Amino acid sequence: MKEFIRIASGQGFWGDLPIAPVNQAKKGPIDYLVMDYLAEVTMSIMQKQRMRNPDWGYARDFVGVVEQVLPEIEKDGIKVISNAGGVNPQACKDEILKIAKDKGYKNLKVAVVDGDDILPNIDELIADGHALKNMETGEPITTVKDQLLSANIYFGCQPIVEALKLGADVIITGRVTDTGLTLAPMIHEFGWEYDDFDKMSVGTIAGHILECGAQASGGNFTDWEKVEDFTDIGFPIVEAYPSGEFFVTKHEGTGGLVSSQTVKEQLLYEIGDPKDYITPDVVADFTSIHVEDVGKNRVKVYGIKGEPFTDSYKVSASYNDGYKLSATLVYSWPDALKKAQKGAEILEERAKALGLNLTEFKKEYIGYNGVDERPTNDDPENDDIDEIQMRISVTGPKKEDLNRFGMEIAPLILTGPSGVTGFAGGRPKASDVVAYWPALLAKKAVQPRVTIYEIN
């Protein structure tokens, strides 16, 4: 057993800083590089991409990251774990093996964790009595079944642990919990038991700290002025010990800030009930966490407790719920707010005259109430504002109606109030509204799959 392991966060979301994971592998010692690419809406985006091209459906920039860190994987034994597989982990695996082979690598083992995609099996699951009721409304999934774009199980850490036991160098998953990416290496290295719920909570909370990348090391920090260097911001690293204690730090010589405050802010991110942070692996108690500054850019986290896991997996499904369109124009002083309000009024009246089916017509005035949402009639006589951005957002069931409304934006320039700008870029077009459907599914209804692949 190792004295400790270093698990580095390389990505907080799909589209995060491209150089971050490469820096984590090259700027200092780490054992594991974990990369989280998936948000709820990301799965539906990837599903649409795969429908257009069967070789897509995963985070294609992940392949470039692996290509750049292949030397460290071979020389230093770094293992890469990521949910970049999205809805097509097999295609992601194929591309990585191809690039590794082309570069002359011969011993790379790539694991695929899948089985999370239940969209093809929805009818069968419903027939077996799994209603997949919306956790907020109680409606059965049959009410949106024909509009479904994606439906994925949140698997936990166990299939990743299995892949590590099989010797995988790179592990590509579909939908697993963000926290499972970090918990798995701790179980693998330290031999923790799955029913040691305090230890399972340790790895889960460590994963929660790492899952959003630099948000734990100075990014998006309330006291942002305390961060000296955002340009070369260092992503967080967890230094974990078999005892269940761990430290949050970053590589020497990098920017950013790791402090008890940056860690605490990340701990509060998206947790709901702090005593019951439910994952497939454990129910973690965030109220038990102790956080302590023990050095520059070094924070100790300890004392963590947990409770047994539940008998259900969470299902993250998405469906098409109509269309949306947004457009903006900028009105200048004098009477900028009055002009913007009049412009919005004209657009709304013209939409009614055209008989367009709009389920929502939202008016915002950026520079006045776009953030604090004051009533638009709060101070209509205020003429000291230099400029107001009028933002109109509409939704509706018919794409053609929204696109017809989009044709009304540009004409407002010459048929409405004066002093208008910001109209470059062409007519706005309607886009899909992707709605979220959270549900639960009994764990016995589905099993993850783990498969190891090697270079031929």
Side-chain angles (χ1 to χ4, degrees):
M1 183 186 299
K2 294 180 180 178
E3 179 186 356
F4 63 87
I5 57 172
R6 287 167 63 88
I7 306 170
S9 168
Q11 196 88 171
F13 61 95
W14 190 18
D16 205 353
L17 203 61
I19 196 63
V22 180
N23 285 342
Q24 290 286 63
K26 295 182 182 293
K27 286 195 171 185
I30 62 170
D31 300 288
Y32 292 87
L33 177 64
V34 297
M35 305 177 66
D36 175 29
Y37 283 87
L38 301 183
E40 284 71 22
V41 71
T42 311
M43 301 301 289
S44 61
I45 294 171
M46 290 179 168
Q47 188 69 43
K48 286 183 178 180
Q49 290 182 346
R50 189 179 185 183
M51 290 168 66
R52 291 196 299 268
N53 185 330
D55 293 329
W56 292 358
Y58 63 92
R60 299 196 300 279
D61 45 350
F62 172 69
V63 176
V65 171
V66 175
E67 181 179 3
Q68 292 180 78
V69 302
L70 280 171
E72 285 70 30
I73 293 173
E74 181 178 69
K75 175 171 60 75
D76 302 326
I78 293 174
K79 294 186 181 294
V80 179
I81 306 173
S82 178
N83 56 18
V87 299
N88 200 356
Q90 293 288 343
C92 184
K93 170 265 300 179
D94 290 343
E95 192 64 22
I96 286 173
L97 288 176
K98 178 180 181 300
I99 286 176
K101 183 177 181 179
D102 290 346
K103 287 186 169 292
Y105 293 90
K106 299 179 180 179
N107 300 315
L108 187 73
K109 290 186 177 182
V110 178
V112 168
V113 174
D114 59 8
D116 59 292
D117 184 0
I118 62 169
L119 187 60
N121 310 110
I122 285 292
D123 288 333
E124 180 183 341
L125 289 168
I126 293 171
D128 288 342
H130 302 286
L132 296 171
K133 294 180 180 179
N134 188 298
M135 294 172 66
E136 297 174 355
T137 68
E139 296 176 280
I141 204 166
T142 50
T143 60
V144 298
K145 185 174 73 70
D146 292 339
Q147 288 79 47
L148 283 173
L149 298 171
S150 64
N152 296 81
I153 298 293
Y154 282 86
F155 285 134
C157 69
Q158 294 193 27
I160 303 175
V161 175
E162 182 180 343
L164 290 170
K165 288 180 178 178
L166 293 172
D169 301 300
V170 178
I171 300 174
I172 304 164
T173 78
R175 198 51 168 126
V176 299
T177 59
D178 308 340
T179 56
L181 304 174
T182 297
L183 171 58
M186 297 185 187
I187 296 172
H188 174 66
E189 295 283 359
F190 303 146
W192 291 350
E193 298 294 334
Y194 291 117
D195 60 358
D196 186 340
F197 299 116
D198 289 346
K199 295 286 179 60
M200 295 300 102
S201 290
V202 167
T204 296
I205 287 166
H208 182 79
I209 292 170
L210 291 184
E211 70 184 39
C212 292
Q215 191 162 281
S217 55
N220 199 24
F221 179 43
T222 300
D223 295 328
W224 61 273
E225 291 180 300
K226 293 180 180 178
V227 181
E228 295 180 0
D229 180 9
F230 282 107
T231 304
D232 185 31
I233 191 167
F235 275 44
I237 297 170
V238 160
E239 185 181 292
Y241 289 77
S243 64
E245 295 180 342
F246 66 86
F247 298 84
V248 185
T249 184
K250 63 184 184 68
H251 283 318
E252 291 287 339
T254 59
L257 172 68
V258 175
S259 70
S260 59
Q261 290 305 110
T262 66
V263 170
K264 287 176 182 178
E265 283 199 11
Q266 174 57 29
L267 284 170
L268 292 172
Y269 176 75
E270 290 186 344
I271 62 168
D273 184 345
K275 283 193 68 67
D276 293 298
Y277 184 81
I278 302 173
T279 78
D281 304 305
V282 71
V283 178
D285 180 2
F286 276 59
T287 68
S288 67
I289 304 171
H290 292 71
V291 180
E292 180 183 342
D293 288 301
V294 293
K296 184 178 180 180
N297 293 310
R298 189 170 177 84
V299 173
K300 183 179 180 181
V301 184
Y302 61 99
I304 298 167
K305 301 295 182 182
E307 297 293 334
F309 49 77
T310 70
D311 59 0
S312 299
Y313 284 125
K314 185 177 180 180
V315 177
S316 176
S318 65
Y319 63 98
N320 195 323
D321 193 27
Y323 302 91
K324 63 182 178 180
L325 180 147
S326 294
T328 63
L329 290 173
V330 176
Y331 289 90
S332 65
W333 180 94
D335 299 323
L337 178 59
K338 285 184 179 180
K339 293 173 183 176
Q341 290 174 327
K342 188 61 177 179
E345 178 187 321
I346 294 168
L347 288 173
E348 189 166 19
E349 291 301 321
R350 288 179 180 172
K352 290 178 182 177
L354 289 166
L356 302 181
N357 185 0
L358 305 180
T359 54
E360 183 179 21
F361 190 104
K362 185 174 183 180
K363 298 169 282 191
E364 298 172 280
Y365 304 102
I366 313 303
Y368 179 72
N369 74 341
V371 176
D372 62 15
E373 299 183 354
R374 286 182 288 179
T376 56
N377 60 357
D378 183 43
D379 187 14
E381 301 302 321
N382 186 341
D383 65 352
D384 291 327
I385 301 173
D386 289 335
E387 60 188 13
I388 291 288
Q389 183 185 62
M390 176 195 72
R391 180 165 63 195
I392 302 297
S393 301
V394 295
T395 62
K398 296 182 178 180
K399 192 173 187 178
E400 56 270 25
D401 278 4
L402 270 67
N403 284 333
R404 178 62 186 86
F405 176 77
M407 296 170 67
E408 295 296 310
I409 304 301
L412 195 61
I413 298 162
L414 297 183
T415 64
S418 61
V420 63
T421 186
F423 44 78
R427 291 171 177 166
K429 298 293 184 183
S431 59
D432 295 339
V433 173
V434 177
Y436 181 51
W437 188 278
L440 297 176
L441 179 64
K443 287 182 175 177
K444 62 183 180 182
V446 63
Q447 291 293 326
R449 294 187 297 264
V450 180
T451 312
I452 291 285
Y453 300 88
E454 300 184 51
I455 296 174
N456 295 323

